[in-house]
Amino acid sequence: MKRTTISLIAVATALAAVTGIASLTSPEGDAAPQNKAAARLPVERSSLMCPAPSTSELAETLYTSFTPAGGEGAGGGGDAEKPTAELRPSASVLADTDAAPAKDDKDADDEKEAGDSAAAARKPAPDKPVVVLEAPGKPVAADADGGEAPALVGTATGALAPGWTAQQTTTVPAGGGRGLLGVSCTAPDTDFWFPAASLAERRQDYVHLTNPDDTSAVADIELYGKDGELKSTLSEGITVPPGGTVPVLLSTLTADKADDVTVHVTTRTGRVGAVVRSADETDGSDWLAASADPAGTAVLPGIPADATSVQLVAFAPGQEDADLRVQLAGPTGTITPAGFEKLRVKSGMTAMIDLKDVTRGEAGTLVLSPAEKGRETPVVAALRVVRGKGEKKEVAFIPAAAPVGARATVADNRDKGSFLSLTAPGKAAQLKVSVSAGTRGGTAAVKTYTVKAGTTLTITAPVPEGLRGTFALTVQTVSGGPVHASRMLEVPDDGIPMFTVQNLSDDRGTVSVPVAEQDLSVLDD
């Protein structure tokens, strides 16, 4: 008998066995329903990466971890393993960790001994997580001081996975990296765009690459200035070790200088979390998160009312130039800023326009859309925003934001200085804003807001009653059109209006699971 015949008989026998089992396990022997839509189920595993916060010995970093309540359906039934959500030091940091006993300082004075003990207490143990979340609905926090705080890599499973969010907030009161640096810890991906980076002499911009997986990732970095791609010989094939992190100073990748640069990070193998840390000699520092995926329309939410400088940086990654209409959605409607009606972004080139104090005392959201209806050219974009004047200035970045979608969360909100911007660029929308209990106490609460079409609603974040510690904010779309949102956190210091802005985008806490059903037609010859 030929091998082909034997193989067909074997396949038919196996399929018959499978369909027989399906019939036995189906209620009353019925076949699976036909044409049933795919179900959306909670994800069972999430990964996040937080970059190394700072090299300044003056840095004070707070990590906050949170999973919204309501994801308890994930992770299987009662026999499932206990859910976990932990952030641990990256492998590259652990490889350099000095495991030797502390030096004998019995001859040192009490102050030196206390300082050494505090430093040892801050240094993460190789086998100990930095932040451990134990239950949905209540955030947890941990802190670290100094310039040796590591990058963190984490995984959440079971009921803690859907919507898992972590925030890293660092305060540096003085020095070259001065500022309030905030970033939502990133999920791994293979493609990132960062408009608004820079190779200017006054700037030091690093792209931090972190690998959450057990095998090496290989990444490429492309830089684009106002005249196109910049020449580089060192930006290809950057290896990121398993569970490790690699910071790359952008100015070492090219001899060219450019005030405004778009950074494109892709991976050849594996996946990484990527974010850019920018430090300016005069304007302070902050993290630049990736822009939303290239699209014909870009929404950049949450420009502060007192912004003294707003610079828009955009890039068109496709083969065609983009002609964009520039609008500002404020509290009462959408306007076109005088003198900035349109922006042309040439293919493969970075464009920048200085919008100055475009908000003029009213918080708003910048909306970029096709200048010609029906002709959409994908773009990525980000804003560089400055508050304050003279020596009392501080910078933050607002990349284009994806919609809130079903649900989005931001952690590390304070009793003072937390503001939420909600923009409905098309249709009006109704939203539910939930505030969690605090990390050390407080009562969760829920409020409902309506955002009118073409406007930005800016609110002081609701505060949980009896709050102790920090809390999380969760925004859910109840009805209406898409909403784009951001949270501004401000922590003034010595007259400097320190602030940072994080976008809220769909947490992808659920995944579409197709319905499987038996199909005997595969047996037909």
Side-chain angles (χ1 to χ4, degrees), residues 72-339:
E72 291 80 356
D79 296 333
E81 295 183 3
K82 182 180 178 181
T84 60
E86 299 179 345
L87 288 165
R88 295 174 175 270
S90 67
S92 57
V93 172
L94 296 181
D96 297 332
T97 299
D98 183 4
K103 295 180 179 180
D104 181 6
D105 54 2
K106 63 181 180 179
D107 296 330
D109 57 34
D110 292 342
E111 182 178 354
K112 176 66 166 58
E113 181 177 354
D116 289 346
S117 299
R122 291 193 298 267
K123 199 169 187 178
D127 59 347
K128 186 178 180 181
V130 176
V131 190
V132 179
L133 182 65
E134 296 182 347
K138 183 179 179 182
V140 297
D143 55 20
D145 295 342
E148 296 184 2
L152 304 182
V153 179
T155 300
T157 62
L160 295 175
W164 183 41
T165 301
Q167 168 85 9
Q168 173 182 293
T169 308
T170 303
T171 304
V172 182
R178 171 189 60 75
L180 182 69
L181 299 88
V183 62
S184 294
C185 300
T186 57
D189 208 336
T190 59
D191 197 348
F192 302 85
W193 291 96
F194 299 97
S198 180
L199 297 171
E201 291 186 3
R202 72 178 190 280
R203 291 267 293 269
Q204 277 203 324
D205 286 14
Y206 287 82
V207 58
H208 288 243
L209 307 174
T210 307
N211 178 7
D213 298 320
D214 297 331
T215 57
S216 294
V218 179
D220 294 337
I221 302 175
E222 299 169 333
L223 305 176
Y224 297 89
K226 64 182 179 63
D227 297 319
E229 186 171 3
L230 304 179
K231 295 180 180 180
S232 174
T233 58
L234 303 174
S235 60
E236 296 183 350
I238 299 171
T239 300
V240 187
T245 186
V246 175
V248 180
L249 179 60
L250 296 182
S251 61
T252 63
L253 301 180
T254 179
D256 296 335
K257 295 295 180 184
D259 287 344
D260 302 293
V261 170
T262 297
V263 180
H264 187 206
V265 176
T266 57
T267 60
R268 300 184 185 184
T269 60
R271 54 185 190 155
V272 296
V275 64
V276 173
R277 183 181 186 274
S278 175
D280 189 295
E281 290 180 357
T282 59
D283 295 349
S285 62
D286 204 351
W287 292 101
L288 167 60
S291 170
D293 292 339
T297 298
V299 181
L300 302 94
I303 306 172
D306 60 351
T308 53
S309 172
V310 178
Q311 293 179 335
L312 167 65
V313 182
F315 179 81
Q319 300 299 316
E320 297 182 0
D321 298 346
D323 291 310
L324 302 172
R325 179 173 55 174
V326 180
Q327 295 179 298
L328 182 70
T332 59
T334 300
I335 64 169
T336 299

Side-chain angles (χ1 to χ4, degrees), residues 43-79:
V43 299
E44 296 185 355
R45 187 180 181 87
S46 297
S47 297
L48 292 176
M49 287 139 288
C50 311
S54 176
T55 57
S56 172
E57 290 303 314
L58 302 176
E60 297 179 355
T61 299
L62 179 68
Y63 303 100
T64 311
S65 176
F66 177 75
T67 294
E72 291 80 356
D79 296 333

Side-chain angles (χ1 to χ4, degrees), residues 296-297 323-325 368-377:
T297 298
D323 291 310
L324 302 172
R325 179 173 55 174
L368 305 178
S369 58
E372 183 178 337
K373 191 173 183 180
R375 187 177 177 181
E376 294 193 355
T377 302

Side-chain angles (χ1 to χ4, degrees), residues 322-360:
D323 291 310
L324 302 172
R325 179 173 55 174
V326 180
Q327 295 179 298
L328 182 70
T332 59
T334 300
I335 64 169
T336 299
F340 305 106
E341 293 82 3
K342 292 183 179 181
L343 171 66
R344 184 174 181 82
V345 185
K346 294 183 179 181
S347 172
M349 301 180 186
T350 297
M352 188 279 286
I353 55 174
D354 190 349
L355 299 171
K356 305 184 185 302
D357 56 344
V358 65
T359 56
R360 299 187 182 279

